[in-house]
Amino acid sequence: MEPNLGKIEKLVRQILVELGEDPRREGLVKTPERVAKALAFLTHGYRTKLGAVINKALFTQTTSSMVIVKDIELYSLCEHHMLPFFGRCHIGYIPDGKVFGVSKLARLVDMFARRLQLQERLTEDISQVVMREVGAKGVGVMIEARHLCMMMRGVEKQNSTMVTSSVLGVFRDHLATREEFLTLIKKT
Ligand SMILES: [Zn+2]
């Protein structure tokens, strides 16, 4: 369901008043409208269909060497503060006959990142869907991200990066496979 932008605008205007602002002043007149549109965009992952993202972009692959896609840009909103967290996502998997088109992995990351998230759950969501949709023998996902809720408020730790990983299948069972993944994503 599409969000009701008019309703969000009204609520944002109310928030501005509560914060002691005058929503009628020049710089703020269009702010509620902009915020409503931005929020709708930043949460479009709720309304994205997995089928539309993957869209049959699976290709036959006979080898079973590891596929790695590194440094996929990631922008999300933490569900505790609705403040951004952003960073990079690395995905590795061992195909079992099929591989994803590369751009599809990036769109998959977006689909899960564009909603209110926890970094841990985002990492899990991505690994599970790659495992299931590609029918891989194993999947590893690592996300390195910085959280504005930590950097701008609270503990104000400006330089800390949160790292989360999720490993499934052979990535979980075989230490060597997991290590190969970690080595490959660290190479620049
Ligand atoms: Zn937060």
Side-chain angles (χ1 to χ4, degrees), residues 71-85:
D71 295 325
I72 300 169
E73 271 181 70
L74 172 144
Y75 299 93
S76 190
L77 290 176
C78 89
E79 68 179 23
H80 294 146
H81 305 94
M82 290 178 71
L83 285 171
F85 66 95

PDB file of all heavy atoms in Angstrom, residues 71-85:
ATOM      1  N   ASP A  71      31.460  -4.303  -1.995  1.00  0.00           N
ATOM      2  CA  ASP A  71      31.249  -2.857  -1.925  1.00  0.00           C
ATOM      3  C   ASP A  71      29.942  -2.380  -2.556  1.00  0.00           C
ATOM      4  O   ASP A  71      29.929  -1.373  -3.270  1.00  0.00           O
ATOM      5  CB  ASP A  71      32.420  -2.123  -2.599  1.00  0.00           C
ATOM      6  CG  ASP A  71      33.727  -2.353  -1.850  1.00  0.00           C
ATOM      7  OD1 ASP A  71      33.690  -2.442  -0.607  1.00  0.00           O
ATOM      8  OD2 ASP A  71      34.771  -2.450  -2.510  1.00  0.00           O
ATOM      9  N   ILE A  72      28.886  -3.105  -2.302  1.00  0.00           N
ATOM     10  CA  ILE A  72      27.582  -2.615  -2.746  1.00  0.00           C
ATOM     11  C   ILE A  72      27.182  -1.504  -1.765  1.00  0.00           C
ATOM     12  O   ILE A  72      27.113  -1.732  -0.559  1.00  0.00           O
ATOM     13  CB  ILE A  72      26.525  -3.740  -2.723  1.00  0.00           C
ATOM     14  CG1 ILE A  72      26.953  -4.892  -3.644  1.00  0.00           C
ATOM     15  CG2 ILE A  72      25.151  -3.202  -3.112  1.00  0.00           C
ATOM     16  CD1 ILE A  72      26.116  -6.158  -3.503  1.00  0.00           C
ATOM     17  N   GLU A  73      26.953  -0.318  -2.296  1.00  0.00           N
ATOM     18  CA  GLU A  73      26.573   0.812  -1.429  1.00  0.00           C
ATOM     19  C   GLU A  73      25.245   0.540  -0.764  1.00  0.00           C
ATOM     20  O   GLU A  73      24.327   0.013  -1.394  1.00  0.00           O
ATOM     21  CB  GLU A  73      26.400   2.073  -2.273  1.00  0.00           C
ATOM     22  CG  GLU A  73      27.641   2.885  -2.455  1.00  0.00           C
ATOM     23  CD  GLU A  73      27.317   4.111  -3.277  1.00  0.00           C
ATOM     24  OE1 GLU A  73      26.614   5.005  -2.769  1.00  0.00           O
ATOM     25  OE2 GLU A  73      27.738   4.148  -4.445  1.00  0.00           O
ATOM     26  N   LEU A  74      25.160   0.955   0.478  1.00  0.00           N
ATOM     27  CA  LEU A  74      23.952   0.649   1.232  1.00  0.00           C
ATOM     28  C   LEU A  74      23.509   1.858   2.059  1.00  0.00           C
ATOM     29  O   LEU A  74      24.333   2.480   2.736  1.00  0.00           O
ATOM     30  CB  LEU A  74      24.298  -0.539   2.123  1.00  0.00           C
ATOM     31  CG  LEU A  74      23.334  -1.029   3.176  1.00  0.00           C
ATOM     32  CD1 LEU A  74      23.440  -2.526   3.234  1.00  0.00           C
ATOM     33  CD2 LEU A  74      23.602  -0.444   4.534  1.00  0.00           C
ATOM     34  N   TYR A  75      22.252   2.200   1.953  1.00  0.00           N
ATOM     35  CA  TYR A  75      21.667   3.278   2.760  1.00  0.00           C
ATOM     36  C   TYR A  75      20.376   2.769   3.363  1.00  0.00           C
ATOM     37  O   TYR A  75      19.507   2.296   2.630  1.00  0.00           O
ATOM     38  CB  TYR A  75      21.367   4.509   1.894  1.00  0.00           C
ATOM     39  CG  TYR A  75      22.603   5.092   1.259  1.00  0.00           C
ATOM     40  CD1 TYR A  75      22.980   4.704  -0.019  1.00  0.00           C
ATOM     41  CD2 TYR A  75      23.401   5.990   1.957  1.00  0.00           C
ATOM     42  CE1 TYR A  75      24.137   5.209  -0.598  1.00  0.00           C
ATOM     43  CE2 TYR A  75      24.546   6.508   1.381  1.00  0.00           C
ATOM     44  CZ  TYR A  75      24.913   6.105   0.104  1.00  0.00           C
ATOM     45  OH  TYR A  75      26.051   6.600  -0.473  1.00  0.00           O
ATOM     46  N   SER A  76      20.290   2.861   4.682  1.00  0.00           N
ATOM     47  CA  SER A  76      19.083   2.368   5.326  1.00  0.00           C
ATOM     48  C   SER A  76      18.708   3.297   6.483  1.00  0.00           C
ATOM     49  O   SER A  76      19.411   4.267   6.766  1.00  0.00           O
ATOM     50  CB  SER A  76      19.304   0.942   5.815  1.00  0.00           C
ATOM     51  OG  SER A  76      18.095   0.350   6.229  1.00  0.00           O
ATOM     52  N   LEU A  77      17.594   2.987   7.133  1.00  0.00           N
ATOM     53  CA  LEU A  77      17.161   3.752   8.306  1.00  0.00           C
ATOM     54  C   LEU A  77      17.060   2.800   9.491  1.00  0.00           C
ATOM     55  O   LEU A  77      16.430   1.752   9.378  1.00  0.00           O
ATOM     56  CB  LEU A  77      15.774   4.366   8.070  1.00  0.00           C
ATOM     57  CG  LEU A  77      15.646   5.500   7.070  1.00  0.00           C
ATOM     58  CD1 LEU A  77      14.168   5.881   6.927  1.00  0.00           C
ATOM     59  CD2 LEU A  77      16.462   6.719   7.498  1.00  0.00           C
ATOM     60  N   CYS A  78      17.678   3.169  10.609  1.00  0.00           N
ATOM     61  CA  CYS A  78      17.569   2.294  11.777  1.00  0.00           C
ATOM     62  C   CYS A  78      16.162   2.403  12.346  1.00  0.00           C
ATOM     63  O   CYS A  78      15.569   3.479  12.382  1.00  0.00           O
ATOM     64  CB  CYS A  78      18.625   2.624  12.827  1.00  0.00           C
ATOM     65  SG  CYS A  78      18.145   3.856  14.037  1.00  0.00           S
ATOM     66  N   GLU A  79      15.637   1.255  12.744  1.00  0.00           N
ATOM     67  CA  GLU A  79      14.246   1.252  13.187  1.00  0.00           C
ATOM     68  C   GLU A  79      14.083   1.826  14.594  1.00  0.00           C
ATOM     69  O   GLU A  79      12.983   2.103  15.019  1.00  0.00           O
ATOM     70  CB  GLU A  79      13.648  -0.149  13.091  1.00  0.00           C
ATOM     71  CG  GLU A  79      14.217  -1.158  14.056  1.00  0.00           C
ATOM     72  CD  GLU A  79      13.546  -2.526  13.899  1.00  0.00           C
ATOM     73  OE1 GLU A  79      13.001  -2.798  12.815  1.00  0.00           O
ATOM     74  OE2 GLU A  79      13.583  -3.296  14.861  1.00  0.00           O
ATOM     75  N   HIS A  80      15.165   1.994  15.317  1.00  0.00           N
ATOM     76  CA  HIS A  80      15.043   2.542  16.671  1.00  0.00           C
ATOM     77  C   HIS A  80      14.939   4.061  16.675  1.00  0.00           C
ATOM     78  O   HIS A  80      14.305   4.636  17.543  1.00  0.00           O
ATOM     79  CB  HIS A  80      16.246   2.119  17.531  1.00  0.00           C
ATOM     80  CG  HIS A  80      16.292   0.654  17.770  1.00  0.00           C
ATOM     81  ND1 HIS A  80      17.462  -0.069  17.886  1.00  0.00           N
ATOM     82  CD2 HIS A  80      15.289  -0.253  17.911  1.00  0.00           C
ATOM     83  CE1 HIS A  80      17.173  -1.334  18.093  1.00  0.00           C
ATOM     84  NE2 HIS A  80      15.871  -1.478  18.100  1.00  0.00           N
ATOM     85  N   HIS A  81      15.596   4.710  15.730  1.00  0.00           N
ATOM     86  CA  HIS A  81      15.614   6.175  15.735  1.00  0.00           C
ATOM     87  C   HIS A  81      15.157   6.796  14.417  1.00  0.00           C
ATOM     88  O   HIS A  81      15.077   8.014  14.306  1.00  0.00           O
ATOM     89  CB  HIS A  81      17.032   6.673  16.049  1.00  0.00           C
ATOM     90  CG  HIS A  81      17.595   6.121  17.329  1.00  0.00           C
ATOM     91  ND1 HIS A  81      18.388   5.001  17.360  1.00  0.00           N
ATOM     92  CD2 HIS A  81      17.447   6.520  18.602  1.00  0.00           C
ATOM     93  CE1 HIS A  81      18.718   4.736  18.622  1.00  0.00           C
ATOM     94  NE2 HIS A  81      18.162   5.642  19.397  1.00  0.00           N
ATOM     95  N   MET A  82      14.935   5.961  13.428  1.00  0.00           N
ATOM     96  CA  MET A  82      14.635   6.434  12.079  1.00  0.00           C
ATOM     97  C   MET A  82      15.705   7.402  11.582  1.00  0.00           C
ATOM     98  O   MET A  82      15.423   8.391  10.907  1.00  0.00           O
ATOM     99  CB  MET A  82      13.239   7.081  12.006  1.00  0.00           C
ATOM    100  CG  MET A  82      12.130   6.049  12.162  1.00  0.00           C
ATOM    101  SD  MET A  82      10.474   6.734  12.157  1.00  0.00           S
ATOM    102  CE  MET A  82      10.276   7.231  10.449  1.00  0.00           C
ATOM    103  N   LEU A  83      16.948   7.106  11.965  1.00  0.00           N
ATOM    104  CA  LEU A  83      18.081   7.867  11.451  1.00  0.00           C
ATOM    105  C   LEU A  83      18.855   6.951  10.507  1.00  0.00           C
ATOM    106  O   LEU A  83      18.815   5.733  10.643  1.00  0.00           O
ATOM    107  CB  LEU A  83      18.979   8.320  12.607  1.00  0.00           C
ATOM    108  CG  LEU A  83      18.435   9.483  13.446  1.00  0.00           C
ATOM    109  CD1 LEU A  83      19.285   9.699  14.685  1.00  0.00           C
ATOM    110  CD2 LEU A  83      18.365  10.761  12.626  1.00  0.00           C
ATOM    111  N   PRO A  84      19.578   7.532   9.559  1.00  0.00           N
ATOM    112  CA  PRO A  84      20.258   6.702   8.572  1.00  0.00           C
ATOM    113  C   PRO A  84      21.413   5.885   9.151  1.00  0.00           C
ATOM    114  O   PRO A  84      22.082   6.324  10.088  1.00  0.00           O
ATOM    115  CB  PRO A  84      20.821   7.728   7.574  1.00  0.00           C
ATOM    116  CG  PRO A  84      20.034   8.960   7.786  1.00  0.00           C
ATOM    117  CD  PRO A  84      19.668   8.970   9.235  1.00  0.00           C
ATOM    118  N   PHE A  85      21.593   4.713   8.580  1.00  0.00           N
ATOM    119  CA  PHE A  85      22.881   4.049   8.688  1.00  0.00           C
ATOM    120  C   PHE A  85      23.289   3.700   7.267  1.00  0.00           C
ATOM    121  O   PHE A  85      22.454   3.473   6.398  1.00  0.00           O
ATOM    122  CB  PHE A  85      22.880   2.862   9.663  1.00  0.00           C
ATOM    123  CG  PHE A  85      22.049   1.663   9.301  1.00  0.00           C
ATOM    124  CD1 PHE A  85      22.605   0.575   8.641  1.00  0.00           C
ATOM    125  CD2 PHE A  85      20.703   1.588   9.675  1.00  0.00           C
ATOM    126  CE1 PHE A  85      21.853  -0.563   8.350  1.00  0.00           C
ATOM    127  CE2 PHE A  85      19.937   0.462   9.389  1.00  0.00           C
ATOM    128  CZ  PHE A  85      20.505  -0.612   8.719  1.00  0.00           C
TER     129      PHE A  85
END
